[in-house]
Amino acid sequence: MTTLTFRTGTDAKSAAAEASAPARTTAERANAVEHQPGDALRALAPNWFAVVMGTGIIANAAATLPLQFPGLRGAATMIWALAAGLLVVLSAAWIAHWRRHPEIARSHGANPVMMQFYGAPPMALMTIGLGTLLLGGDLIGMSAAVAIDWVLWSAGTALGLISACAIPFRMITRHSFDGDAAFGGWLMPVVPPMVSAATGALLIPHTPAGQPRMTLLFACLAMFGLSLIAAFVTITMIWSRLLHHGLPAASMVATVWIVLGPLGQSVTAAGQLATVAPTALPAREAAGLDVFALLFGVPTWGFAMLWLGLAIAVTWHARKSMSFNMTWWGFTFPLGTCVTGSTVLYAHTGAVLFGVVAVALFALLVTAWAVVAGRTVHDALYGTLLHPAR
């Protein structure tokens, strides 16, 4: 059994700590030639798929943003293409990683922290699938875009359901956790079904009418509930951990932002399912979902804004001790779900409040992505992201 703790001022015994190693010194850079090209694959882990998630959410959020201006859709399409390319490259690299370093790859599934990020690959698949449907049709045609989205959504949903069940099972049966162990990463395995619900909603109009369309709608609603309840339970543990034990180690502070993911994505899912409900359900049930989208969405959005304020304050408080690592990608995708959630509420209510917040959060999202992407490229080239100390 493994006891895992996160205490302020201490390093977590986790694979996440490996990703948070400081940049190399000049001498270490000079010795970088000693690394063979294939060594870069040693550092690859499932958390790298957060790069695809954080990049793709910008394109998806821009495609539906309340404020549309000339050039926005073109820029969004370019970001989607970049994210899709990253998905292809990372998928190929991950396969190569399993072939060249199987022991390291298997160790990720046994590590009580790194195994949480097995939720990232399925969410990356569905993020790119949605972008293909929203933006890719302009380049490859709508028929091809729908077909690709179906494939990516189906694969992401299957993998997401596996992660939502398998990772908590391993946590229960393989590890023992102290009272201060809960952190934002615990949400990663259970959020993919919520992403399935939100992205699957846009496939409902492309599903044959009748029972197939109704089945997909109810499947999305079931996954919405599956993820929502598991997320609320986990968020409660994270809140309790922060109040009773204070901030996590500096290398893990960015994971506080992950809580925004299920909050914003659930608001998005509820609103999008309500939008397409009239195409699959009788008028009475469809109207009920429309009411639910507001009764659930607005209070949850309010809590998301509270958590956003806390996350910003916590990050500012710990800023001087935070060195860059891959958990910084937690600043992007979760924030992007708050943009899409605000956009959905604006579409359902017409309230300018939600439109203004959506645009403001989108600007913050782009800024956060630029900073994190820039640091990732820099540390991949000159730091230890691809050549961590052995």
Side-chain angles (χ1 to χ4, degrees):
M1 303 288 281
T2 299
T3 300
L4 180 68
T5 62
F6 291 104
R7 292 188 175 89
T8 304
T10 63
D11 292 327
K13 295 179 181 180
S14 67
E18 298 176 8
S20 64
R24 292 179 292 177
T25 65
T26 302
E28 289 172 324
R29 294 177 188 175
N31 293 329
V33 293
E34 298 178 3
H35 293 283
Q36 298 182 6
D39 284 351
L41 294 175
R42 292 175 57 88
L44 195 65
N47 61 342
W48 272 82
F49 284 89
V51 177
V52 179
M53 296 166 55
T55 303
I57 195 68
I58 293 179
N60 297 349
T64 56
L65 199 67
L67 177 62
Q68 293 289 315
F69 51 86
L72 179 61
R73 186 171 181 84
T77 303
M78 292 177 61
I79 293 294
W80 161 76
L82 172 62
L86 288 171
L87 176 63
V88 173
V89 171
L90 280 176
S91 297
W94 204 25
I95 293 172
H97 172 74
W98 272 92
R99 292 175 62 88
R100 291 179 63 95
H101 307 287
E103 297 84 4
I104 296 176
R106 283 193 293 269
S107 72
H108 294 156
N111 187 288
V113 169
M114 187 57 74
M115 69 179 182
Q116 309 297 334
F117 294 93
Y118 272 103
M123 288 191 282
L125 290 172
M126 290 182 286
T127 299
I128 299 305
L130 178 60
T132 304
L133 186 64
L134 293 174
L135 299 163
D138 296 343
L139 301 178
I140 62 177
M142 185 53 65
S143 296
V146 171
I148 292 173
D149 190 19
W150 267 116
V151 171
L152 295 178
W153 181 84
S154 299
T157 296
L159 292 174
L161 289 173
I162 292 172
S163 78
C165 181
I167 300 305
F169 174 77
R170 291 181 70 90
M171 293 172 69
I172 293 169
T173 59
R174 301 286 185 91
H175 304 285
S176 178
F177 299 91
D178 284 350
D180 61 347
F183 76 115
W186 282 13
L187 289 164
M188 291 292 290
V190 299
V191 173
M194 185 65 76
V195 179
S196 293
T199 57
L202 276 73
L203 283 171
I204 289 175
H206 300 283
T207 305
Q211 285 297 321
R213 190 174 294 180
M214 184 181 296
T215 299
L216 179 58
L217 176 63
F218 283 131
C220 288
L221 282 172
M223 289 187 287
F224 171 89
L226 178 161
S227 183
L228 180 69
I229 296 173
F232 278 172
V233 170
T234 306
I235 291 171
T236 301
M237 290 189 287
I238 295 170
W239 182 285
S240 176
R241 180 257 180 272
L242 292 173
L243 289 180
H244 289 97
H245 302 281
L247 293 179
S251 62
M252 305 295 285
V253 168
T255 62
V256 173
W257 289 67
I258 297 177
V259 173
L260 294 172
L263 297 175
Q265 196 71 297
S266 64
V267 176
T268 304
Q272 290 179 338
L273 288 169
T275 298
V276 300
T279 68
L281 297 177
R284 177 171 168 269
E285 286 78 3
L289 277 180
D290 191 60
V291 173
F292 171 76
L294 294 183
L295 293 181
F296 167 82
V298 175
T300 304
W301 180 88
F303 181 67
M305 294 303 101
L306 168 63
W307 194 276
L308 175 61
L310 290 173
I312 292 173
V314 163
T315 304
W316 181 259
H317 177 78
R319 69 190 185 282
K320 294 182 179 179
S321 58
M322 291 176 61
S323 59
F324 175 75
N325 62 70
M326 290 300 290
T327 66
W328 280 34
W329 281 96
F331 295 136
T332 57
F333 185 83
L335 183 59
T337 67
C338 293
V339 177
T340 59
S342 300
T343 297
V344 164
L345 289 177
Y346 173 75
H348 276 267
T349 65
V352 175
L353 166 66
F354 298 119
V356 171
V357 171
V359 174
L361 292 182
F362 181 75
L364 180 60
L365 169 63
V366 173
T367 302
W369 178 86
V371 172
V372 177
R375 291 297 300 271
T376 301
V377 172
H378 178 274
D379 278 31
L381 295 176
Y382 305 112
T384 58
L385 283 182
L386 296 181
H387 292 297
R390 299 187 184 182

